[in-house]
Amino acid sequence: QVFDPRKLADGKPLLVNFWASYCSPCVAELPLLQGLHASSSSKERVVTISLDVAADVPAARAALGRASTNFPAFYLAGAPTESKDSKKVLSDVVDLERLSLPTTVVLSPEGKIETILYGPLREER
C-alpha cells in the first residue's frame, strides 16, 4: 500500500500519527484515534505510521488488533531509507532518530502540513 496523503485524506484533513508498540502512551491513544476515525461527525481522517523495527511489526499489528482499529496503518520497517528517482521518502522530511513519540502531523486535504502535535492526543482534540 502506497502512502498517498491526498488519496487517504479524501477531501478532509489527515491526522498522521507516528507511534511504536513499545511506547505505552502511543498504544494508549490507539482507541482515541479509532474513535476519531470511526466517528461519522469527524472532520478528519486518521492514518498511523509505526516506527517499529521489522522484528517488532508483529507487536505493532497486535496492538492495533487489541484496539480494534480499522484505519489505514503503515509500517516504516522495510520502507526505503534513501531517495530514489527524486521522490521523497519519510526520512527526507522527518528526523526519525529524534522524533518524540507519539507525534501527530495534521495535513491539509492537499497534503500540506498544517500543524504538528507532540505527545498523546487529548479527548477534546
Side-chain angles (χ1 to χ4, degrees), residues 53-108:
V53 297
D56 292 335
V57 167
R61 287 191 174 124
L64 291 168
R66 283 190 301 277
S68 301
T69 64
N70 64 355
F71 46 70
F74 294 85
Y75 303 89
L76 192 59
T81 56
E82 296 181 10
S83 297
K84 300 204 187 273
D85 302 324
S86 74
K87 292 184 179 178
K88 295 238 182 233
V89 294
L90 187 58
S91 59
D92 291 337
V93 293
V94 177
D95 183 353
L96 296 171
E97 291 188 22
R98 294 189 294 182
L99 182 67
S100 63
L101 295 178
T103 293
T104 303
V105 178
V106 181
L107 301 177
S108 71

Side-chain angles (χ1 to χ4, degrees), residues 5 14 44 74 85 122 124:
L14 186 67
E44 303 148 327
F74 294 85
D85 302 324
R122 296 184 310 272
E124 64 272 10

Side-chain angles (χ1 to χ4, degrees), residues 15 32-33 36 43-44 117 120-125:
L15 297 179
L32 174 61
L33 292 167
L36 287 171
K43 303 173 293 215
E44 303 148 327
L117 306 167
L121 296 176
R122 296 184 310 272
E123 291 278 339
E124 64 272 10
R125 164 98 183 94

